[in-house]
Amino acid sequence: MSGVFVLLLLPPRRFAAAGLLSVRRALPGSRLGGVQIGCCLSKVSGSDVLKATLADDATKKYGNQPPTLFSKIIDKSLPADIIYEDDQCLSFRDVNPQGPVHFLVIPKMAIPRISAATDDDKELLGHLLIVAKNIAKKEGLADGYRLVINDGKNGAQSVYHLHIHVIGGRQMSWPPG
């Protein structure tokens, strides 16, 4: 007999301290109408749930995107010199620095490019800028720095996962590119 497994969170006060989540089995074609017929507890970390939630949100909003270098850095399957991380974003040093200081700030939710961002993303986009500013201060960029977001082919975007370049530690020239 085949079933569909659905991940449901039980009330946090009962099981969160132990890191346990409820996994329930439902049979869509059964006389029970797809209701729970069995239950067990599974140990899943909060970061696994967060990763799954972010991936699901991104898929709903932007469609299925192939994994990028940045998604592999986020899930730690690809190493990087990470200098900051919170539940919404990650920052790491650029492997091809264009200045004495060059790091990237990326959202954990895979927005493919800035032109694909929606009005619902404004808090996240603001958060990325504040994080960039705070890291620039910690990196000693008091005399200034440049923020760059490349968008699409003509914008020379090489990784289709929104990212902000923060470049500093030298005098920038104008016009760029």
Side-chain angles (χ1 to χ4, degrees):
M1 184 183 294
S2 66
V4 175
F5 289 87
V6 181
L7 182 66
L8 299 170
L9 298 178
L10 293 174
R13 67 182 174 276
R14 291 181 59 199
F15 299 102
L20 296 174
L21 299 176
S22 167
V23 179
R24 297 178 180 187
R25 186 171 152 207
L27 296 175
S30 75
R31 64 179 176 81
L32 298 173
V35 299
Q36 171 189 339
I37 65 163
C39 179
C40 65
L41 294 178
S42 175
K43 187 102 173 164
V44 177
S45 74
S47 66
D48 290 337
V49 173
L50 178 60
K51 286 177 190 174
T53 301
L54 291 170
D56 185 57
D57 289 348
T59 299
K60 286 177 184 169
K61 227 171 173 178
Y62 307 108
N64 278 334
Q65 300 293 317
T68 66
L69 293 172
F70 295 165
S71 62
K72 292 176 181 184
I73 290 171
I74 291 167
D75 73 15
K76 310 292 193 287
S77 64
L78 193 64
D81 184 3
I82 296 172
I83 55 177
Y84 178 84
E85 182 172 9
D86 64 25
D87 62 332
Q88 297 179 71
C89 70
L90 184 96
S91 179
F92 53 94
R93 298 199 187 282
D94 197 299
V95 296
N96 185 24
Q98 300 302 302
V101 176
H102 186 169
F103 60 90
L104 304 175
V105 180
I106 64 172
K108 287 187 174 178
M109 182 169 68
I111 301 170
R113 50 195 284 193
I114 190 66
S115 60
T118 68
D119 290 347
D120 294 338
D121 296 319
K122 63 185 167 193
E123 282 188 39
L124 174 60
L125 297 174
H127 179 72
L128 297 175
L129 291 174
I130 295 299
V131 167
K133 175 207 56 128
N134 291 342
I135 297 170
K137 183 177 180 180
K138 288 180 184 173
E139 292 287 317
L141 299 178
D143 291 336
Y145 49 91
R146 178 167 287 162
L147 300 177
V148 177
I149 299 175
N150 300 318
D151 185 71
K153 181 181 93 174
N154 287 348
Q157 184 175 2
S158 59
V159 178
Y160 279 79
H161 183 124
L162 175 65
H163 53 287
I164 301 171
H165 292 265
V166 182
I167 307 166
R170 68 171 172 86
Q171 179 62 56
M172 300 291 153
S173 60
W174 196 261

